Amino acid sequence: MASKRSFGVSQAVLRRKFGSGMTFRNYRDKEVVFSQGDSADSVFYIETGTVKLTVVSTRKKAIIAILQRGSFFGEGCLAGQTLRICTARSIGQSNIVRLQKEKTVRTLKRDPQFAALFVGYLLSRVVRIEEDLIDQFFNFSERRLARVLMLFGQITKESKPESPLKVSQSTLAEMVGTTRGRVSKFMNNFKRKGLVTYNGGLQINNSLVIEFLQNRPMSVKKS
């Protein structure tokens, strides 16, 4: 759900490379960056904070990615995407840079250093998507939930929020691809084992979650 690799690019560096082709904005918790169906005319970069990508159909809603600091998103416009296929929404407060599509294309052509950084990030996203697909198709819901909790643990550790993390079981169910009832059952089990606690919000014991995942390896074996 989140990129394992982040690329720290300062706003000052981006301003030197993009000049007037970039804008900077602070987003509040749950504020929409762009909506599904909007015109795809720019790439975004998360300077600080976290962004959630969701897709809605006539029957279902799914969380397809949680992106942390140092992540690009909206890059589909560079490959001919004319409309946004998902909605991007800030989780907590985020500082996000918007890069114009035309200026991004020119920078990628003229700046090998930035192009290498950008391609490296995209490759890391591809690897992560493959892992998520394998996890979704071949592993049990309990393990997928543990991976999601590990992600939120990493986000909490990095952002150090002033208030406890508040994530509904419905949101966890959307991310895992299962029912809220099963998530509730697994969370109660995790609570008994000390992986999670509730004290005004969700608190995650990262070391115990990692140990849990190590004791339950992925079903797919290397040939």
Side-chain angles (χ1 to χ4, degrees):
M1 287 281 178
S3 175
K4 290 181 178 179
R5 186 179 177 190
S6 64
F7 298 83
V9 183
S10 70
Q11 187 180 158
V13 170
L14 289 175
R15 195 172 297 281
R16 285 199 302 270
K17 294 179 182 297
F18 287 85
S20 61
M22 65 161 280
T23 53
F24 174 82
R25 182 179 166 186
N26 298 318
Y27 286 83
R28 303 184 305 274
D29 181 34
K30 299 181 181 179
E31 188 173 0
V32 171
V33 181
F34 59 73
S35 297
Q36 187 173 330
D38 284 353
S39 176
D41 58 359
S42 52
V43 178
F44 294 85
Y45 175 77
I46 305 173
E47 188 175 42
T48 63
T50 307
V51 170
K52 173 176 66 175
L53 304 183
T54 60
V55 174
V56 178
S57 70
T58 54
R59 295 182 180 181
K60 295 181 180 181
K61 175 182 177 182
I63 299 173
I64 58 173
I66 300 290
L67 304 177
Q68 298 170 265
R69 177 180 63 83
S71 297
F72 292 95
F73 62 101
E75 68 278 0
C77 67
L78 302 178
Q81 188 182 96
T82 58
L83 299 176
R84 301 295 185 190
I85 61 173
C86 63
T87 294
R89 190 185 302 270
S90 178
I91 298 178
Q93 191 173 33
S94 299
N95 300 323
I96 297 175
V97 178
R98 178 181 179 272
L99 307 173
Q100 292 178 359
K101 173 185 173 181
E102 293 77 11
K103 184 64 175 180
T104 303
V105 171
R106 288 198 295 270
T107 303
L108 288 170
K109 290 179 178 178
R110 298 175 181 176
D111 190 330
Q113 184 179 9
F114 178 76
L117 181 148
F118 191 77
V119 170
Y121 172 75
L122 293 181
L123 289 174
S124 74
R125 280 279 297 277
V126 169
V127 170
R128 183 67 187 193
I129 290 169
E130 288 179 345
E131 291 177 351
D132 286 342
L133 285 173
I134 291 172
D135 207 30
Q136 189 72 28
F137 282 114
F138 296 104
N139 289 292
F140 296 113
S141 301
E142 187 179 32
R143 189 184 191 283
R144 299 202 303 270
L145 177 59
R147 287 188 70 211
V148 170
L149 291 175
M150 184 173 66
L151 164 62
F152 277 115
Q154 292 170 349
I155 292 173
T156 302
K157 181 178 179 181
E158 180 174 306
S159 61
K160 297 181 175 61
E162 296 179 359
S163 57
L165 179 67
K166 294 185 178 180
V167 183
S168 70
Q169 292 188 350
S170 296
T171 296
L172 292 174
E174 289 176 3
M175 295 181 71
V176 173
T178 188
T179 64
R180 185 184 180 281
R182 286 182 64 79
V183 166
S184 178
K185 176 183 176 182
F186 296 145
M187 290 297 283
N188 287 334
N189 184 40
F190 289 162
K191 184 179 179 181
R192 285 194 297 271
K193 294 179 178 180
L195 277 70
V196 300
T197 56
Y198 294 94
N199 184 18
L202 177 62
Q203 297 178 338
I204 301 165
N205 188 319
N206 289 343
S207 60
L208 288 182
V209 172
I210 292 172
E211 181 181 345
F212 175 87
L213 289 169
Q214 289 174 341
N215 291 331
R216 288 165 176 77
M218 295 182 71
S219 300
V220 177
K221 305 292 185 181
K222 292 183 178 180
S223 57

